[in-house]
Amino acid sequence: MARTKEFDPDTALQSALELFWRRGYEATSVADLVEHLGIGKASLYATFGSKHELYLRALDRYGQARNPRLTRELSGPGPVLPAVRGLVRRFAAEATAEPTRERGCLVTNTAVELAPHDRDAARRVERDWDTLETLLHAALVRARAQGELAPDREPAPLARMLLVLLQGVRVVGKASADPARVRDAAEQALALLD
């Protein structure tokens, strides 16, 4: 007869996400996970597989929580460019403010730490970036159609530039003690939308 789980896997996954987000993949040991989640090592493996599989599931959850907010921000009715500007400024503010500055963005952290040598992590990073770029592109297409963006401004390259800027903002914000570096770069990029 199978034993009943004595913990909530959903709650444990959320706790793992928070620990990985704060410490990173390599700096989080299985012993750290067992202690933080309050479950036995055998239960961790039986429920989530390996540490790597748990990390990937946590990364998936992070995207599932974040992407609907981005969709709402960029897909609402009315003028589009204020929403795009607001998103860029929000990323810049979060990248330079505590406590978000210290932990950064889990997708960006994964891109830097794991994606160069981990195909599964790289695929998830690319999927997240594709989602953000698609949302930005759709918003900029609408902005151009509504007359907010000049007809000679191409939405696809602008969306790609903003994606790269937002990821750079996350990296520089986490590593730099100078918040003006991030804010100035964000405002300079936004000037390209005028």
Side-chain angles (χ1 to χ4, degrees):
M1 181 153 140
R3 287 187 48 190
T4 306
K5 286 196 186 320
E6 296 175 11
F7 67 95
D8 177 12
D10 192 60
T11 301
L13 178 59
Q14 185 61 37
S15 288
L17 185 158
E18 291 163 9
L19 185 62
F20 283 130
W21 193 0
R22 189 171 62 250
R23 297 187 65 191
Y25 178 77
E26 293 297 337
T28 303
S29 68
V30 171
D32 295 331
L33 288 164
V34 166
E35 180 181 334
H36 187 74
L37 275 57
I39 63 175
K41 190 174 183 180
S43 294
L44 186 142
Y45 286 126
T47 304
F48 300 109
S50 67
K51 171 186 157 182
H52 185 255
E53 289 171 293
L54 176 56
Y55 185 85
L56 295 175
R57 286 179 62 180
L59 186 58
D60 289 342
R61 170 173 282 207
Y62 178 85
Q64 291 163 359
R66 187 178 89 124
N67 291 338
R69 177 181 182 187
L70 296 173
T71 300
R72 282 191 306 275
E73 287 180 83
L74 295 174
S75 301
V80 179
L81 286 186
V84 172
R85 286 186 179 95
L87 177 80
V88 171
R89 288 180 177 131
R90 179 175 65 79
F91 269 57
E94 288 174 356
T96 57
E98 298 302 335
T100 53
R101 177 186 171 269
E102 185 178 316
R103 68 181 179 178
C105 166
L106 186 60
V107 172
T108 307
N109 296 348
T110 302
V112 172
E113 183 182 10
L114 294 178
H117 55 80
D118 181 328
R119 275 196 306 245
D120 293 328
R123 274 195 293 275
R124 283 165 170 82
V125 167
E126 285 292 336
R127 181 182 64 211
D128 192 82
W129 287 349
D130 287 345
T131 299
L132 179 53
E133 186 176 341
T134 299
L135 290 169
L136 287 165
H137 180 252
L140 294 171
V141 166
R142 281 190 14 241
R144 191 164 75 171
Q146 293 174 186
E148 298 174 70
L149 190 63
D152 65 334
R153 300 286 187 193
E154 289 297 326
L158 280 173
R160 184 155 284 177
M161 181 272 302
L162 289 173
L163 168 71
V164 172
L165 169 83
L166 294 173
Q167 295 310 300
V169 157
R170 296 290 200 192
V171 172
V172 174
K174 188 171 181 173
S176 178
D178 182 5
R181 181 176 282 153
V182 167
R183 283 193 311 268
D184 292 349
E187 292 303 319
Q188 190 63 38
L190 290 176
L192 297 173
L193 301 178
D194 295 330

